[in-house]
Amino acid sequence: LADPAVCGFPEDRVRLLVDAVAGGVGVVRGLSKWLPEASKGAELALIYLAGHGRTLGDAGDSAFFLPHDADPEDLVTLGIEMGDLRRWIGLLDARAIVLCLDCCHSGRIIAREVAPGRSTPRDVGIGPSALKRLAAGRPSGKDVFVISACDEGQFAYEVADLEHGLFTHHLLRGMKEGEARDDLGSVGVCELFQYVCEAVGR
């Protein structure tokens, strides 16, 4: 993200949390405190989360992103509920926000709109969730774009040979290696998302 040849974010505006530093407290503090302060008035804020995702309840009513120290059998204690993530994003003052999620059930970040009494399909498989606008109660004129490794009820896959999840591998190829360049040679959000969706689908 800080590489001038790729994204060009100022180094002091990039925060990387991995392994033990990416525990529940660190991730929540980063998303709810550091990011709102660091992105105030920014043209763009980018959030990238990779890890495990789990659902809670027989119908998968709630979905959680699991930080490094979360217990898959006790999601509520240290798991980060997707609804909380939506609310934190809604508080950001950046003009546009891009959210990339590489975890199972990541499409659940988009609030379900299901008519009463109707069930939601739970297609367990692989398939990236397309570029979507996230309704997070944001002021008019401020957009949030989401690309997720899979839709709700689906699994995201790690590929040992790639040393990343399949989604992240193609996200990096699109950004770093220019696979998602448009006709003018730049990588825009829409071009990147389209490339990742097609590449993961293949």
Side-chain angles (χ1 to χ4, degrees), residues 182-199:
D182 61 17
D183 294 339
L184 300 176
S186 62
V187 178
V189 172
C190 290
E191 290 80 12
L192 178 62
F193 286 8
Q194 184 65 35
Y195 166 77
V196 172
C197 285
E198 291 175 358

mmCIF file of all heavy atoms in Angstrom, residues 182-199:
data_model
loop_
_atom_site.group_PDB
_atom_site.id
_atom_site.type_symbol
_atom_site.label_atom_id
_atom_site.label_comp_id
_atom_site.label_asym_id
_atom_site.label_seq_id
_atom_site.Cartn_x
_atom_site.Cartn_y
_atom_site.Cartn_z
ATOM 1 N N ASP A 182 -6.543 -0.541 -16.749
ATOM 2 C CA ASP A 182 -7.511 -0.154 -17.772
ATOM 3 C C ASP A 182 -6.766 0.275 -19.034
ATOM 4 O O ASP A 182 -5.538 0.148 -19.122
ATOM 5 C CB ASP A 182 -8.445 0.947 -17.264
ATOM 6 C CG ASP A 182 -7.703 2.223 -16.877
ATOM 7 O OD1 ASP A 182 -6.519 2.390 -17.284
ATOM 8 O OD2 ASP A 182 -8.290 3.071 -16.186
ATOM 9 N N ASP A 183 -7.480 0.803 -20.008
ATOM 10 C CA ASP A 183 -6.871 1.189 -21.285
ATOM 11 C C ASP A 183 -5.837 2.295 -21.133
ATOM 12 O O ASP A 183 -4.965 2.455 -21.990
ATOM 13 C CB ASP A 183 -7.961 1.641 -22.272
ATOM 14 C CG ASP A 183 -8.888 0.498 -22.671
ATOM 15 O OD1 ASP A 183 -8.467 -0.675 -22.527
ATOM 16 O OD2 ASP A 183 -10.010 0.769 -23.110
ATOM 17 N N LEU A 184 -5.929 3.065 -20.066
ATOM 18 C CA LEU A 184 -4.978 4.155 -19.831
ATOM 19 C C LEU A 184 -3.801 3.716 -18.963
ATOM 20 O O LEU A 184 -2.931 4.516 -18.627
ATOM 21 C CB LEU A 184 -5.692 5.346 -19.175
ATOM 22 C CG LEU A 184 -6.834 5.956 -20.002
ATOM 23 C CD1 LEU A 184 -7.537 7.049 -19.214
ATOM 24 C CD2 LEU A 184 -6.295 6.500 -21.321
ATOM 25 N N GLY A 185 -3.793 2.442 -18.543
ATOM 26 C CA GLY A 185 -2.677 1.918 -17.764
ATOM 27 C C GLY A 185 -2.791 2.088 -16.267
ATOM 28 O O GLY A 185 -1.860 1.786 -15.526
ATOM 29 N N SER A 186 -3.934 2.560 -15.788
ATOM 30 C CA SER A 186 -4.108 2.699 -14.339
ATOM 31 C C SER A 186 -5.033 1.595 -13.823
ATOM 32 O O SER A 186 -5.778 0.985 -14.587
ATOM 33 C CB SER A 186 -4.678 4.082 -13.993
ATOM 34 O OG SER A 186 -5.955 4.242 -14.580
ATOM 35 N N VAL A 187 -4.958 1.356 -12.519
ATOM 36 C CA VAL A 187 -5.803 0.344 -11.883
ATOM 37 C C VAL A 187 -6.828 1.060 -11.022
ATOM 38 O O VAL A 187 -6.503 1.593 -9.962
ATOM 39 C CB VAL A 187 -4.963 -0.631 -11.019
ATOM 40 C CG1 VAL A 187 -5.877 -1.641 -10.336
ATOM 41 C CG2 VAL A 187 -3.931 -1.347 -11.870
ATOM 42 N N GLY A 188 -8.045 1.095 -11.484
ATOM 43 C CA GLY A 188 -9.129 1.701 -10.720
ATOM 44 C C GLY A 188 -9.838 0.659 -9.876
ATOM 45 O O GLY A 188 -9.641 -0.550 -10.055
ATOM 46 N N VAL A 189 -10.658 1.123 -8.968
ATOM 47 C CA VAL A 189 -11.375 0.222 -8.070
ATOM 48 C C VAL A 189 -12.254 -0.746 -8.855
ATOM 49 O O VAL A 189 -12.228 -1.956 -8.638
ATOM 50 C CB VAL A 189 -12.206 1.018 -7.044
ATOM 51 C CG1 VAL A 189 -13.104 0.096 -6.243
ATOM 52 C CG2 VAL A 189 -11.307 1.798 -6.119
ATOM 53 N N CYS A 190 -13.021 -0.225 -9.801
ATOM 54 C CA CYS A 190 -13.934 -1.084 -10.551
ATOM 55 C C CYS A 190 -13.172 -2.104 -11.390
ATOM 56 O O CYS A 190 -13.556 -3.272 -11.460
ATOM 57 C CB CYS A 190 -14.846 -0.247 -11.436
ATOM 58 S SG CYS A 190 -16.052 0.719 -10.503
ATOM 59 N N GLU A 191 -12.074 -1.659 -12.021
ATOM 60 C CA GLU A 191 -11.269 -2.577 -12.823
ATOM 61 C C GLU A 191 -10.658 -3.673 -11.959
ATOM 62 O O GLU A 191 -10.609 -4.846 -12.347
ATOM 63 C CB GLU A 191 -10.159 -1.820 -13.563
ATOM 64 C CG GLU A 191 -10.636 -0.932 -14.683
ATOM 65 C CD GLU A 191 -11.182 0.405 -14.218
ATOM 66 O OE1 GLU A 191 -10.994 0.754 -13.028
ATOM 67 O OE2 GLU A 191 -11.817 1.099 -15.025
ATOM 68 N N LEU A 192 -10.169 -3.281 -10.780
ATOM 69 C CA LEU A 192 -9.571 -4.249 -9.864
ATOM 70 C C LEU A 192 -10.601 -5.278 -9.427
ATOM 71 O O LEU A 192 -10.343 -6.486 -9.448
ATOM 72 C CB LEU A 192 -8.988 -3.533 -8.643
ATOM 73 C CG LEU A 192 -8.375 -4.421 -7.568
ATOM 74 C CD1 LEU A 192 -7.191 -5.203 -8.115
ATOM 75 C CD2 LEU A 192 -7.953 -3.579 -6.365
ATOM 76 N N PHE A 193 -11.777 -4.811 -9.037
ATOM 77 C CA PHE A 193 -12.804 -5.725 -8.570
ATOM 78 C C PHE A 193 -13.246 -6.670 -9.683
ATOM 79 O O PHE A 193 -13.461 -7.849 -9.448
ATOM 80 C CB PHE A 193 -14.004 -4.943 -8.033
ATOM 81 C CG PHE A 193 -13.742 -4.301 -6.690
ATOM 82 C CD1 PHE A 193 -12.479 -4.293 -6.116
ATOM 83 C CD2 PHE A 193 -14.771 -3.685 -6.003
ATOM 84 C CE1 PHE A 193 -12.250 -3.699 -4.888
ATOM 85 C CE2 PHE A 193 -14.546 -3.091 -4.772
ATOM 86 C CZ PHE A 193 -13.283 -3.100 -4.213
ATOM 87 N N GLN A 194 -13.395 -6.144 -10.890
ATOM 88 C CA GLN A 194 -13.813 -6.987 -12.005
ATOM 89 C C GLN A 194 -12.766 -8.059 -12.289
ATOM 90 O O GLN A 194 -13.094 -9.232 -12.499
ATOM 91 C CB GLN A 194 -14.030 -6.128 -13.261
ATOM 92 C CG GLN A 194 -14.564 -6.901 -14.455
ATOM 93 C CD GLN A 194 -15.957 -7.450 -14.212
ATOM 94 O OE1 GLN A 194 -16.770 -6.821 -13.536
ATOM 95 N NE2 GLN A 194 -16.232 -8.634 -14.736
ATOM 96 N N TYR A 195 -11.500 -7.664 -12.280
ATOM 97 C CA TYR A 195 -10.426 -8.623 -12.527
ATOM 98 C C TYR A 195 -10.413 -9.715 -11.467
ATOM 99 O O TYR A 195 -10.322 -10.905 -11.783
ATOM 100 C CB TYR A 195 -9.076 -7.911 -12.539
ATOM 101 C CG TYR A 195 -7.915 -8.860 -12.457
ATOM 102 C CD1 TYR A 195 -7.505 -9.596 -13.573
ATOM 103 C CD2 TYR A 195 -7.247 -9.070 -11.250
ATOM 104 C CE1 TYR A 195 -6.462 -10.519 -13.486
ATOM 105 C CE2 TYR A 195 -6.202 -9.978 -11.156
ATOM 106 C CZ TYR A 195 -5.814 -10.691 -12.275
ATOM 107 O OH TYR A 195 -4.798 -11.609 -12.185
ATOM 108 N N VAL A 196 -10.506 -9.331 -10.180
ATOM 109 C CA VAL A 196 -10.458 -10.308 -9.095
ATOM 110 C C VAL A 196 -11.642 -11.271 -9.189
ATOM 111 O O VAL A 196 -11.480 -12.482 -9.037
ATOM 112 C CB VAL A 196 -10.408 -9.613 -7.718
ATOM 113 C CG1 VAL A 196 -10.562 -10.621 -6.594
ATOM 114 C CG2 VAL A 196 -9.116 -8.837 -7.567
ATOM 115 N N CYS A 197 -12.830 -10.742 -9.442
ATOM 116 C CA CYS A 197 -14.004 -11.609 -9.537
ATOM 117 C C CYS A 197 -13.843 -12.645 -10.643
ATOM 118 O O CYS A 197 -14.146 -13.820 -10.454
ATOM 119 C CB CYS A 197 -15.253 -10.772 -9.774
ATOM 120 S SG CYS A 197 -15.843 -9.903 -8.304
ATOM 121 N N GLU A 198 -13.377 -12.205 -11.805
ATOM 122 C CA GLU A 198 -13.219 -13.128 -12.918
ATOM 123 C C GLU A 198 -12.104 -14.135 -12.651
ATOM 124 O O GLU A 198 -12.249 -15.332 -12.931
ATOM 125 C CB GLU A 198 -12.934 -12.347 -14.197
ATOM 126 C CG GLU A 198 -14.128 -11.548 -14.680
ATOM 127 C CD GLU A 198 -13.816 -10.686 -15.886
ATOM 128 O OE1 GLU A 198 -12.637 -10.687 -16.339
ATOM 129 O OE2 GLU A 198 -14.736 -10.017 -16.387
ATOM 130 N N ALA A 199 -10.982 -13.666 -12.070
ATOM 131 C CA ALA A 199 -9.835 -14.557 -11.829
ATOM 132 C C ALA A 199 -10.164 -15.612 -10.778
ATOM 133 O O ALA A 199 -9.841 -16.783 -10.949
ATOM 134 C CB ALA A 199 -8.625 -13.726 -11.405
#
